[in-house]
């Protein structure tokens, strides 16, 4: 399952980041760390950005990037 497939307020744990090392490094800097708990706060319509709750903050990323981050149910 990927972050893009989460439903509102559904919690998951990040299992892996994208294979693109530059993108993975950027996501790590933003707090998308493997084994971290994450939940979907908001999903904009028309394939807009998605906001996630992670480490007591909200971070928005595009759905295409969210589709490259694998998660597991917690």
């Amino acid at each position: 399952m990927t972050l893009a497939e989460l439903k509102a307020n559904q919690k998951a744990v990040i299992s892996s980041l994208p294979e693109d090392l530059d993108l993975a490094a950027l996501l790590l800097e933003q707090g998308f760390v493997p084994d971290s708990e994450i939940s979907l706060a908001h999903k904009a319509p028309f394939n807009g950005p998605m906001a996630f709750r992670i480490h007591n903050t909200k971070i928005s990323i595009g759905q295409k990037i969210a589709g490259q981050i694998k998660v597991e149910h917690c």
Side-chain angles (χ1 to χ4, degrees):
M1 161 177 227
T2 69
L3 274 183
E5 299 173 88
L6 285 182
K7 295 182 174 137
N9 298 314
Q10 183 180 12
K11 292 182 181 178
V13 174
I14 296 173
S15 58
S16 68
L17 297 176
E19 292 181 11
D20 179 334
L21 296 180
D22 291 333
L23 179 57
L26 178 66
L27 291 167
L28 279 170
E29 288 178 6
Q30 292 181 333
F32 289 85
V33 178
D35 297 326
S36 297
E37 186 174 293
I38 191 167
S39 64
L40 177 62
H42 178 75
K43 184 176 184 179
F46 307 111
N47 295 321
M50 303 174 79
F52 296 95
R53 289 183 200 93
I54 185 168
H55 304 296
N56 294 323
T57 191
K58 284 185 187 175
I59 301 174
S60 294
I61 59 174
Q63 289 190 33
K64 191 172 183 178
I65 293 173
Q68 298 177 53
I69 301 172
K70 295 189 176 161
V71 296
E72 297 175 0
H73 291 284
C74 53

